[in-house]
């Protein structure tokens, strides 16, 4: 894949170091313009039945009030497409001009009708002209060309209607619903996703239809990031127009996990100036999506004014596939170890054993024993507030060098040095020393660590263009041939819990996706007066966000992963309630991926790489999957969770939850 990076000129973004938004053509969608010099547009999708006009209109209004600028509504058949007319008319009557987008899967006739009614139509190139049969077909070039001709015939009428009516179009590829044709030729790869869109884009360009936005969604953040980057590179190389991009992570889930996963995927691309419209998909009411999208986007309003970062001349990182940076194994960092979590507790004086539950370690006084949950951190950073009791085996303490130097126990505690301390120090820990440096100190750092096999770097930056500044630090280390493990440290003084979650997911997740980083440390630097409990709550948040970011970037699985669809007018059960119920019974199954999908039309495809699937297949009926294979059909919903657990049990993946 390295050959895809022919030179920095054909890279996927304007600059790896200076924030610069990719120049795209403007696409008008009613009163909203996507791309060009326009702001990044927030959009979302309704979840009520499209035939429920009143319910749809009321939900649209709640979404608009929460900051949504473009609303997508599913149109699974002609009758729903027809009803878009009523929804639109009622919204306009009530004074709302927000453009509407019809979401189409499998039904060209619904698309052709909707394109005459609403301002934009989204088609899925994986299923617009193809029914999924999961067949592997050995195409010759001639039979492949015949297939493309068939697509052209099926798709041309829609292109013509869009042109005549001034209707925009999104060619929205989904990783989980690629056609058998694309799967047979490219597999479910980022390249397959890109080609899937290009097949349809070429037809549009032949017809001189350019009101197009493109998306490359996946619930796998690595695949999603790679596919968007590759799309841009292919558009540039293929001489296509620079079409605007719609960014999204599919089936991100709910609550903290959904937000973190969305930020890892969407934020990583926004950092490099990609993206003209954003939808955050959460398994929550849609009015909760726009504020998250807006929070991600708003970070870039003044980004271009950041301090300068040395340019990258040769880029040693492969942006189109995940390759972990090769690092030495030092203690339990680097090598084949998972990235480590260091949790900062340095603002708590005399922390007690019971307060360690904030970092996932529980002291049970009756038994005089420690237990750990799935979010038990690997290290705590106590700064200048040494921990006054013995830690359980496995968890280690990092102290400031000035404290460690005088500590009675220099074996079981590890020192953290600044660069000047490290350069002058006479004593070091024999196994592991932590060296905290800024990205701007990287040249001196490289000289200081030369030949050392006992040091872990903690890399941080004060640059507002954080992720690229940190990434530049990694580039310098790679160029210098250093294989030192690196923990990425981020801090967000004065930010709310929600912002800390989104920003750290973007800044650290963006690096992890590219195989950079051997650990995470979210600094506890909130200023002002806080009660001890508030500080402990913040520690708990940082600890769980750290694990969440590692999981969302697919570098360390510490919890069950739920790939739940955001729901839409097709949904056959209450997704939020069902997800909560399944989570309650299964959230101890570390690393197991469970897809929870509202309908059988798109669900099986969209849950892509889930290990087990719970999919609505009729009113009160659930079809259960093991991977892509149907195991039980039409299970009554009241029995479906038990049956799902039974399937997991039969598969040997079940264990009983442990009480803590
Ligand atoms: S999987 Fe969920 S979001 Fe996707 S079409 Fe079905 S119900 Fe709608």
């Amino acid at each position: 894949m390295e050959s895809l990076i022919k030179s920095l000129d054909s890279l996927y973004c304007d600059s790896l170091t200076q924030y610069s938004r990719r120049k795209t053509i403007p696409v008008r969608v009613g009163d909203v313009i996507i791309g060009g010099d326009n702001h990044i547009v927030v959009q979302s999708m309704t979840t009520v039945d499209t035939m429920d006009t009143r319910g749809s209109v009321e939900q649209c209004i709640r979404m608009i009030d929460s900051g949504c600028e473009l609303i997508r509504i599913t149109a699974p058949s002609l009758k729903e497409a027809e009803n878009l007319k009523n929804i639109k008319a009622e919204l306009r009557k009530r004074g709302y001009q927000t453009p509407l987008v019809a979401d189409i899967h499998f039904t060209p006739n619904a698309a052709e009708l909707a394109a005459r009614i609403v301002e934009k139509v989204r088609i899925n190139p994986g299923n617009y002209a193809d029914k999924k049969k999961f067949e592997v077909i050995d195409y010759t070039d001639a039979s492949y060309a015949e297939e493309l001709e068939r697509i052209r015939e099926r798709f041309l009428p829609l292109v013509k209607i869009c042109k005549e009516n001034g209707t925009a179009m999104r060619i929205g590829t989904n990783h989980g619903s690629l056609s058998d044709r694309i799967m047979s030729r490219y597999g479910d790869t980022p390249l397959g996703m890109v080609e899937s869109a290009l097949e349809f884009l070429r037809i549009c360009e032949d017809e001189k239809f350019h009101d197009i936005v493109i998306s490359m969604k996946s619930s796998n953040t690595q695949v999603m990031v790679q596919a968007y980057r590759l799309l841009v590179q292919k558009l540039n190389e293929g001489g296509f127009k620079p079409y605007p991009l719609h960014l999204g992570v599919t089936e991100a889930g709910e609550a903290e996990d959904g937000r973190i996963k969305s930020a890892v995927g969407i934020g990583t691309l926004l950092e490099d100036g990609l993206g003209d419209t954003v939808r955050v998909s959460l398994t929550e009411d849609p009015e909760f999506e726009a504020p998250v999208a807006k929070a991600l986007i708003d970070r870039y309003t003044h980004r271009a004014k950041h301090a300068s970062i040395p340019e990258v001349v040769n880029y040693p990182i492969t942006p189109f596939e995940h390759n972990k940076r090769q690092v030495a194994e030092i203690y339990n960092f680097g090598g084949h170890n998972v990235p480590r979590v260091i949790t900062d507790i340095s603002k708590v004086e005399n922390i007690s054993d019971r307060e360690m539950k904030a970092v996932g370690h529980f002291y049970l006084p009756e038994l005089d024993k420690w237990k750990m949950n799935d979010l038990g951190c690997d290290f705590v950073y106590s700064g200048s507030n040494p921990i006054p009791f013995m830690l359980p085996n496995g968890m280690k303490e990092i102290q400031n060098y000035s404290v460690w130097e005088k500590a009675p126990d220099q074996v079981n505690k590890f020192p953290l040095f600044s660069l000047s301390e490290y350069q002058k120090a006479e004593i070091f820990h024999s196994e592991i020393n932590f060296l905290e440096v800024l990205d701007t100190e990287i040249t001196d750092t490289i000289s200081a660590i030369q030949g050392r096999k006992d040091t872990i770097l903690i890399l941080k930056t004060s640059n507002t263009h954080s992720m690229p500044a940190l990434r530049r630090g990694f580039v310098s280390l790679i160029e210098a041939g250093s294989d030192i493990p690196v923990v990425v440290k981020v801090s967000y003084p004065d930010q709310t819990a929600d912002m800390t979650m989104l920003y750290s997911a973007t800044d650290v997740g963006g690096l992890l996706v590219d195989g950079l980083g051997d650990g995470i440390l979210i600094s506890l630097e909130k200023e002002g007066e806080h009660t001890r409990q508030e500080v402990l709550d913040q520690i708990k948040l940082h600890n769980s966000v750290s694990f969440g970011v590692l999981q969302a970037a697919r570098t360390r699985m510490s919890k069950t992963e739920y790939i739940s669809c955001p729901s839409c007018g097709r949904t056959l059960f209450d997704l939020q309630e069902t997800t909560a119920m399944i989570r309650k019974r299964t959230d101890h199954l570390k690393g197991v991926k469970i897809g929870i999908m509202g309908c059988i039309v798109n669900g099986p495809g969209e849950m892509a790489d889930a290990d087990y699937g719970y999919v609505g297949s009729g009113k009160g009926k659930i079809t259960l999957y093991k991977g892509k294979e149907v195991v039980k059909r039409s299970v009554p919903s009241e029995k479906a969770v038990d049956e799902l657990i039974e399937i997991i049990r039969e598969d040997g993946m079940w264990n009983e939850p442990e009480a803590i």
Side-chain angles (χ1 to χ4, degrees):
M1 189 65 72
E2 212 154 347
S3 59
L4 286 170
I5 317 161
K6 297 195 173 95
S7 73
L8 284 182
D9 296 341
S10 68
L11 201 60
Y12 60 90
C13 61
D14 290 354
S15 170
L16 292 162
T17 47
Q18 170 61 47
Y19 177 74
S20 163
R21 190 149 157 231
R22 172 177 169 256
K23 297 268 169 293
T24 55
I25 57 164
V27 171
R28 176 172 285 282
V29 185
D31 289 346
V32 169
I33 301 177
I34 300 176
D37 293 327
N38 300 284
H39 70 273
I40 301 172
V41 173
V42 173
Q43 59 173 293
S44 181
M45 187 168 177
T46 57
T47 56
V48 293
D49 187 338
T50 310
M51 294 310 291
D52 175 359
T53 308
R54 193 159 156 218
S56 297
V57 167
E58 277 162 12
Q59 190 172 55
C60 286
I61 293 172
R62 288 197 296 278
M63 290 161 71
I64 296 165
D65 290 346
S66 75
C68 185
E69 299 171 274
L70 202 63
I71 293 180
R72 185 154 48 110
I73 304 177
T74 189
S77 73
L78 275 176
K79 70 177 191 323
E80 286 87 359
E82 183 71 40
N83 203 45
L84 292 173
K85 208 183 280 172
N86 297 326
I87 296 172
K88 183 174 170 182
E90 183 59 25
L91 276 170
R92 302 294 177 260
K93 199 169 109 197
R94 295 202 201 178
Y96 293 94
Q97 300 306 323
T98 309
L100 301 182
V101 186
D103 194 63
I104 306 290
H105 295 269
F106 299 107
T107 44
N109 58 356
E112 289 162 19
L113 175 59
R116 294 187 167 95
I117 300 170
V118 292
E119 288 83 356
K120 188 176 166 200
V121 172
R122 178 268 165 130
I123 60 131
N124 178 343
N127 60 28
Y128 191 78
D130 296 276
K131 290 260 178 297
K132 194 120 183 97
K133 299 191 190 111
F134 296 100
E135 281 174 356
V136 180
I137 307 157
D138 197 7
Y139 289 104
T140 60
D141 285 352
S143 61
Y144 203 87
E146 262 172 43
E147 277 288 286
L148 295 181
E149 203 37 54
R150 183 179 61 80
I151 292 171
R152 178 180 294 271
E153 270 174 36
R154 201 90 172 99
F155 183 49
L156 261 185
L158 177 65
V159 175
K160 290 194 171 137
I161 293 166
C162 286
K163 260 181 97 172
E164 280 162 23
N165 289 273
T167 308
M169 182 188 292
R170 168 155 68 97
I171 302 179
T173 302
N174 262 9
H175 181 217
S177 53
L178 296 171
S179 65
D180 289 346
R181 178 182 58 263
I182 288 286
M183 290 288 279
S184 302
R185 192 161 262 213
Y186 303 95
D188 62 344
T189 59
L191 185 59
M193 292 172 69
V194 172
E195 277 304 322
S196 172
L198 293 186
E199 285 181 349
F200 282 71
L201 186 62
R202 289 187 191 102
I203 299 168
C204 295
E205 287 219 328
D206 288 348
E207 294 302 306
K208 308 219 169 346
F209 175 60
H210 303 297
D211 292 335
I212 295 164
V213 178
I214 311 178
S215 63
M216 296 278 125
K217 297 195 188 181
S218 171
S219 69
N220 176 327
T221 52
Q222 291 182 5
V223 169
M224 176 260 186
V225 167
Q226 291 156 6
Y228 277 100
R229 289 170 172 172
L230 193 57
L231 170 70
V232 174
Q233 198 214 33
K234 291 282 180 193
L235 290 177
N236 292 348
E237 285 181 356
F240 293 96
K241 286 190 182 297
Y243 294 99
L245 302 180
H246 164 125
L247 304 186
V249 174
T250 49
E251 286 75 45
E254 53 171 359
E256 186 179 304
D257 291 344
R259 283 160 178 77
I260 291 176
K261 200 167 179 188
S262 300
V264 169
I266 296 168
T268 300
L269 294 163
L270 290 173
E271 287 288 312
D272 281 329
L274 304 185
D276 302 279
T277 175
V278 166
R279 189 232 171 158
V280 168
S281 313
L282 301 172
T283 308
E284 295 176 22
D285 289 338
E287 53 267 37
F288 292 107
E289 296 183 342
V292 181
K294 189 146 170 28
L296 287 172
I297 293 167
D298 283 352
R299 239 186 140 189
Y300 302 92
T301 314
H302 303 293
R303 179 58 73 88
K305 295 189 185 122
H306 63 84
S308 79
I309 302 169
E311 254 180 68
V312 172
V313 183
N314 292 304
Y315 194 47
I317 295 157
T318 50
F320 309 118
E321 65 178 19
H322 181 81
N323 284 309
K324 174 95 180 63
R325 173 180 163 246
Q326 294 301 308
V327 287
E329 180 168 18
I330 295 176
Y331 200 71
N332 59 2
F333 284 88
H336 294 296
N337 292 291
V338 292
R340 297 293 164 196
V341 171
I342 304 178
T343 304
D344 184 354
I345 58 164
S346 62
K347 299 287 183 286
V348 188
E349 280 176 32
N350 283 319
I351 195 162
S352 73
D353 42 18
R354 286 169 210 213
E355 287 169 322
M356 295 304 277
K357 69 175 184 218
V359 299
H361 291 266
F362 297 76
Y363 179 62
L364 309 175
E366 321 75 55
L367 305 171
D368 190 24
K369 268 192 175 164
W370 287 88
K371 278 219 164 197
M372 182 177 94
N373 68 11
D374 290 338
L375 306 185
C377 72
D378 305 298
F379 294 80
V380 277
Y381 167 59
S382 63
S384 298
N385 281 317
I387 296 175
F389 51 87
M390 238 177 70
L391 288 175
N393 273 343
M395 183 174 45
K396 298 288 176 191
E397 180 182 353
I398 305 169
Q399 303 178 330
N400 285 344
Y401 171 63
S402 52
V403 174
W404 178 82
E405 201 184 17
K406 300 179 197 109
D409 177 4
Q410 287 186 335
V411 176
N412 293 306
K413 322 255 165 176
F414 304 125
L416 175 86
F417 298 83
S418 67
L419 183 57
S420 60
E421 284 169 340
Y422 190 84
Q423 285 163 327
K424 287 185 232 136
E426 284 173 6
I427 49 162
F428 290 91
H429 194 283
S430 61
E431 284 184 280
I432 181 168
N433 300 277
F434 293 87
L435 168 58
E436 182 170 319
V437 297
L438 281 162
D439 58 319
T440 47
E441 296 175 309
I442 203 76
T443 310
D444 291 341
T445 303
I446 288 170
S447 321
I449 57 175
Q450 209 134 43
R452 296 290 294 259
K453 291 286 174 214
D454 61 359
T455 301
I456 307 292
L457 211 59
I458 297 195
L459 183 63
K460 61 182 182 179
T461 183
S462 55
N463 199 311
T464 46
H465 201 29
S466 316
M467 191 279 268
L470 292 163
R471 183 172 60 193
R472 185 65 183 85
F474 279 97
V475 169
S476 299
L477 288 168
I478 296 169
E479 282 174 344
S482 170
D483 63 356
I484 188 170
V486 178
V487 172
V488 179
K489 179 177 179 182
V490 286
S491 61
Y492 306 102
D494 282 338
Q495 289 298 348
T496 60
D498 279 355
M499 294 304 173
T500 300
M501 194 186 302
L502 297 178
Y503 292 1
S504 50
T506 299
D507 295 340
V508 187
L511 298 167
L512 292 166
V513 160
D514 276 337
L516 306 173
D518 306 286
I520 176 170
L521 167 54
I522 304 176
S523 162
L524 195 61
E525 279 179 11
K526 194 150 178 155
E527 288 162 4
E529 290 300 309
H530 291 281
T531 63
R532 190 173 179 95
Q533 191 51 51
E534 281 168 348
V535 177
L536 286 166
D537 289 346
Q538 204 177 83
I539 292 171
K540 187 168 180 228
L541 173 88
H542 290 182
N543 190 65
S544 91
V545 167
S546 296
F547 280 100
V549 171
L550 298 182
Q551 173 133 348
R554 302 176 80 85
T555 53
R556 177 172 177 175
M557 303 309 242
S558 46
K559 4 181 182 177
T560 321
E561 184 162 342
Y562 299 94
I563 304 170
S564 52
C565 80
S567 88
C568 71
R570 288 182 192 263
T571 310
L572 289 160
F573 54 81
D574 185 325
L575 254 157
Q576 292 178 46
E577 206 181 275
T578 308
T579 304
M581 188 166 71
I582 296 176
R583 184 186 276 274
K584 199 167 149 214
R585 306 272 306 271
T586 60
D587 72 355
H588 60 291
L589 300 177
K590 198 168 164 172
V592 172
K593 297 197 249 6
I594 301 178
I596 307 162
M597 298 288 140
C599 77
I600 198 121
V601 185
N602 295 321
E606 292 189 21
M607 67 191 181
D609 58 355
D611 301 312
Y612 304 98
Y614 180 107
V615 179
S617 50
K619 279 268 174 261
K621 297 279 182 252
I622 306 298
T623 293
L624 299 169
Y625 286 72
K626 182 181 154 198
K628 289 192 163 56
E629 184 197 326
V630 174
V631 183
K632 286 188 179 162
R633 282 182 211 278
S634 295
V635 180
S637 54
E638 52 291 359
K639 292 194 186 146
V641 180
D642 287 335
E643 296 276 355
L644 174 72
I645 291 170
E646 210 34 54
I647 292 168
I648 301 174
R649 201 188 295 275
E650 280 165 15
D651 207 22
M653 297 299 287
W654 180 260
N655 53 56
E656 293 303 328
E658 249 184 86
I660 288 188

